[in-house]
Amino acid sequence: MRVLVCTVRHHPEDARVLHRQIRAMLDAGHSVTYAAPFRAWHVTPWRQLTPVDVPRAGGRGALSVLRAVRRALAEHVPYCDVLLLHDPELTVALPRAARRKAVVVDVHEAPAGFGLPGAMSRYVRARAGRRHRLVLASPEYRAEFGDGHPVVPDVPEVSAVPPAEPDDRRVVHVGRLSAAGGALEVIEMAGRLADKGVAVELIGGADPRVRPALRAAQRSGALRWYGFVPYDRAMRIAEGAMAGLALPPGSGHAPQGVPVKVMDYMAHGIPVVASAVPAVAELVGDERCGLVVPPGDVEAALAAVLRLRDEKGLRARLGRRAYETARERFDGAAEGDRFVRMLEEAAGVREPARA
């Protein structure tokens, strides 16, 4: 099967796009042409891919981005069996040749951020849901698109080799940094933890609203901010930390599902310190895979981290149980295979023999 993958909104090394889905396609023996903003992000594509450079959403006007994507798709769509779009807004840029192809739209981002006016963005996304096959990253998107679309969640592959035991020196936050995701609370914690000899490492891109506070905290030595780091390297940096943070500040911002970062922490044996939203509390428990705290309560989160620092037996037990639970409950390889089978079905092709 020949797959043409396109995104302008996501980083070319996005964990779901590249490290989970494209990796699964390549492992299944399929060929992949990948259209993404490589130059805008200064990324060298994997050599197994046929890369196509397109503009980044937000870097230019939305209409000029859509025109550039339309030209790229018009050139490459005739040679693919299925077109996989990671931005529903790109469905308005489909060339005439796409009418004869299977088009699948993978939804894993809220409407804001593409650059289209709000009403137009909502219309385009609703239109994509009516006209094309959708795959949703979370049941939360059913509120926007309805119940008739399959969900392929982001879950990690969990190594059979147990990870290193948590240390007593570092706390990590992996993933996009935003006010809605608790970044401002994490920054506040970092300053206070630095005074107690605990390093805070933030691994991920940041929304414009929180960047000034991040830069100020980094200049003061309160934290280390890596910026965006590809998934595999990000988790190598994080492994061995005494706590992984997931602290959305309140019920108005709290996700209904389990944040991907929580599952990633568990898969790497990192005790979780998380806001006690229902899905996370059910998975992590209190003193099972980590410690849960009231949403927005910086004092409670700080106390949880210091407790993990001071109680070696507790953090070792939580890290071990987090990894064991991840081994029992998460199967990223199986979800990747299921996604590839959906593409094969959409394209109407026979699957190649898998190794």
Side-chain angles (χ1 to χ4, degrees):
M1 180 174 67
R2 299 164 300 175
V3 187
L4 174 56
V5 181
C6 185
T7 183
V8 295
R9 186 174 180 182
H10 300 280
H11 192 286
E13 295 182 303
D14 178 85
R16 180 177 176 89
V17 178
L18 183 67
H19 291 274
R20 294 191 172 105
Q21 293 184 357
I22 289 179
R23 169 52 64 197
M25 297 174 213
L26 295 173
D27 289 347
H30 299 305
S31 64
V32 179
T33 298
Y34 186 21
F38 296 106
R39 291 180 185 172
W41 285 105
H42 308 289
V43 167
T44 301
W46 287 358
R47 60 182 178 81
Q48 304 99 309
L49 304 172
T50 300
V52 178
D53 189 64
V54 291
R56 173 186 173 188
R60 298 164 60 179
L63 293 180
S64 64
V65 170
L66 291 172
R67 284 194 291 268
V69 169
R70 185 180 180 87
R71 289 193 296 270
L73 295 181
E75 180 179 353
H76 294 280
V77 158
Y79 306 103
C80 76
D81 297 305
V82 60
L83 170 60
L84 173 60
L85 301 176
H86 283 277
D87 315 314
E89 295 83 356
L90 294 182
T91 55
V92 300
L94 292 177
R96 184 181 299 272
R99 298 177 185 176
R100 300 185 296 275
K101 302 292 181 177
V103 178
V104 177
V105 182
D106 186 52
V107 181
H108 50 114
E109 197 73 64
F114 191 89
L116 294 174
M120 182 181 294
S121 179
R122 289 190 294 273
Y123 168 77
V124 169
R125 288 168 69 91
R127 179 176 176 269
R130 293 191 301 269
R131 294 192 175 189
H132 302 288
R133 296 175 185 241
L134 300 190
V135 175
L136 310 181
S138 166
E140 295 177 49
Y141 292 108
R142 286 178 170 159
E144 180 181 359
F145 293 102
D147 295 332
H149 306 289
V151 174
V152 178
D154 275 319
V155 295
E157 291 192 40
V158 186
S159 173
V161 179
E165 190 171 289
D167 62 30
D168 62 353
R169 303 182 304 276
R170 297 184 303 132
V171 174
V172 297
H173 179 284
V174 177
R176 186 80 183 170
L177 293 153
S178 66
L184 298 177
E185 286 76 10
V186 171
I187 293 168
E188 180 183 345
M189 284 179 60
R192 299 171 66 179
L193 288 170
D195 294 338
K196 299 180 182 298
V198 177
V200 176
E201 298 181 347
L202 310 183
I203 309 165
D207 289 352
R209 179 181 168 188
V210 302
R211 287 176 198 160
L214 275 171
R215 293 184 179 119
Q218 180 152 269
R219 284 195 299 269
S220 72
L223 55 81
R224 181 174 184 180
W225 176 34
Y226 288 84
F228 180 89
V229 176
Y231 174 76
D232 50 354
R233 182 177 162 224
M235 297 316 301
R236 287 198 299 271
I237 294 170
E239 188 166 322
M242 67 175 168
L245 303 178
L247 299 170
S251 58
H253 299 293
Q256 297 176 26
V258 177
V260 177
K261 63 172 64 69
V262 169
M263 294 184 278
D264 285 331
Y265 296 150
M266 292 172 60
H268 289 81
I270 302 170
V272 179
V273 173
S275 296
V277 297
V280 174
E282 186 278 328
L283 175 64
V284 173
D286 197 26
E287 299 193 22
R288 185 168 69 244
C289 301
L291 303 174
V292 294
V293 299
D297 191 334
V298 174
E299 295 295 334
L302 186 67
V305 169
L306 294 177
R307 185 181 173 199
L308 289 171
R309 180 197 64 178
D310 295 338
E311 298 183 29
K312 179 179 180 179
L314 175 66
R315 68 174 182 268
R317 174 168 58 83
L318 296 183
R320 183 171 58 252
R321 184 56 183 151
Y323 168 73
E324 292 169 352
T325 301
R327 286 278 291 168
E328 294 167 3
R329 298 186 59 167
F330 308 148
D331 192 342
E335 292 295 346
D337 287 345
R338 185 164 75 93
F339 181 77
V340 171
R341 287 195 296 272
M342 289 180 184
L343 294 184
E344 292 167 346
E345 179 184 346
V349 300
R350 293 177 61 87
E351 62 180 276
R354 286 168 166 78

